[in-house]
Amino acid sequence: MNYTRRLLDNLSVEQVKIELLNTAYGNGDTFIAKLDPRTLFIWYLFFGFVPWFIHDPAILGAFFSLMVVMTIMTKVSPLIIVILCLGLLSQAGYLLIASWFFGGNLDTILPLLILTLKLSTISLASIVVFSSMDPEKLSDGLLSIGVPSQVSFSIAYGYRMLPSLVEEFHQIFLSFRLRGKAPEKKGLLYWRMVVYLIKIAVLSFYPLILSSAKRARTTVEALESKGYSSALTSPDVKKIKLQHMRFRFHDLAFLSLSGCYIVAAFLVTSFY
């Protein structure tokens, strides 16, 4: 029971908010975060898509090992890792475990293992890239590769709104708890309390949606009053906004080392 209580304390809305803020804004001092966003896009273009077309478990294992090292270097939040593990278990991991316990042989387990490696590698690559860029850096990177200004601004705006949304969700959640009544009997492993908190969390989304719609309209009116639509279509504004971006030596070194690792993985596995 003490472990269950401790787990519920760690899964509080306040803790989730802190972890999300650290993911969006707290990784700026890592080596990966100092790279140019276009470098990260090129790197992700390989590790985010190519693993789908590779079926050699040794090569996939080498890519997965690299992603684990990159994830450690990026200082990813433990909450994101837990969510990733739950997602992998819900997608393919439970099939791997079920086939192992119900008499599955190597012919059954190997394809599931390959699928799990692919999903793990691609998911970790996505986490490494997108947790290394703050909202402004991600928006500038998308704008520099030709993504429409409306899309890049929407992504940056969503990131910026994230702290306010989480904070408001927390306040609504607490107001529901103050006005509601918690179950008197907690049940085995506090399952009644867990169901009660999940129900409150779902109900808290309705006022949050209405408040967000009102805030979005106010933001649009404020932006238009400052000529936002005209700035979006101006090449001079885009040039000034992106003038701080440039490839440096560590960008070239990062891509070169990654390329060497990929070639080495293919060469080593081809001999065994």
Side-chain angles (χ1 to χ4, degrees):
M1 294 298 178
N2 291 332
Y3 289 110
T4 306
R5 184 189 296 275
R6 192 179 304 172
L7 178 62
L8 289 176
D9 292 340
N10 291 333
L11 288 178
S12 63
V13 176
E14 184 68 25
Q15 186 63 32
V16 172
K17 182 181 68 176
I18 293 172
E19 295 293 339
L20 289 176
L21 290 176
N22 286 334
T23 301
Y25 295 97
N27 295 327
D29 58 341
T30 62
F31 171 76
I32 309 297
K34 294 176 182 177
L35 297 173
D36 189 275
R38 290 167 293 184
T39 303
L40 294 175
F41 290 151
I42 294 172
W43 185 83
Y44 181 69
L45 196 63
F46 181 87
F47 289 102
F49 297 99
V50 172
W52 285 117
F53 306 101
I54 297 176
H55 306 290
D56 190 332
I59 298 177
L60 290 173
F63 288 175
F64 175 74
S65 302
L66 177 62
M67 291 306 109
V68 171
V69 174
M70 297 290 291
T71 304
I72 295 173
M73 291 175 60
T74 311
K75 301 179 181 177
V76 177
S77 166
L79 176 65
I80 303 300
I81 300 299
V82 171
I83 294 175
L84 170 64
C85 294
L86 292 176
L88 291 175
L89 285 175
S90 63
Q91 291 294 326
Y94 76 96
L95 293 175
L96 182 64
I97 297 173
S99 63
W100 183 271
F101 279 102
F102 289 98
N105 53 23
L106 188 61
D107 294 336
T108 306
I109 295 173
L110 187 59
L112 293 174
L113 179 62
I114 292 175
L115 176 61
T116 305
L117 277 175
K118 289 182 179 181
L119 291 174
S120 303
T121 302
I122 295 170
S123 300
L124 288 177
S126 304
I127 290 173
V128 167
V129 170
F130 292 105
S131 66
S132 301
M133 292 188 285
D134 58 27
E136 189 68 29
K137 187 174 181 179
L138 178 59
S139 173
D140 291 346
L142 293 174
L143 194 62
S144 65
I145 61 174
V147 175
S149 305
Q150 292 85 350
V151 177
S152 61
F153 172 79
S154 299
I155 295 173
Y157 177 73
Y159 263 101
R160 287 195 182 93
M161 289 295 294
L162 184 63
S164 300
L165 291 177
V166 174
E167 178 67 27
E168 189 169 354
F169 176 81
H170 190 201
Q171 296 299 327
I172 297 172
F173 184 84
L174 291 179
S175 67
F176 270 107
R177 292 197 66 180
L178 286 174
R179 289 180 295 174
K181 182 181 179 183
E184 296 180 356
K185 296 182 179 179
K186 309 300 181 184
L188 181 64
L189 296 176
Y190 287 80
W191 72 270
R192 288 193 175 90
M193 193 65 187
V194 172
V195 172
Y196 172 70
L197 294 178
I198 292 175
K199 182 180 178 181
I200 289 180
V202 173
L203 292 175
S204 301
F205 274 104
Y206 294 103
L208 180 66
I209 292 172
L210 295 176
S211 176
S212 300
K214 182 179 179 181
R215 184 184 292 110
R217 180 178 178 180
T218 304
T219 304
V220 170
E221 291 175 351
L223 289 172
E224 290 300 329
S225 66
K226 294 185 177 181
Y228 169 73
S229 297
S230 301
L232 276 181
T233 57
S234 173
D236 295 333
V237 173
K238 181 179 178 180
K239 184 177 179 181
I240 294 173
K241 183 176 176 57
L242 302 180
Q243 65 181 358
H244 65 92
M245 297 178 61
R246 63 192 60 181
F247 282 107
R248 296 181 175 86
F249 174 76
H250 55 265
D251 294 293
L252 181 61
F254 176 74
L255 291 177
S256 301
L257 289 175
S258 299
C260 292
Y261 184 87
I262 294 168
V263 173
F266 278 98
L267 289 178
V268 170
T269 54
S270 65
F271 290 108
Y272 296 96

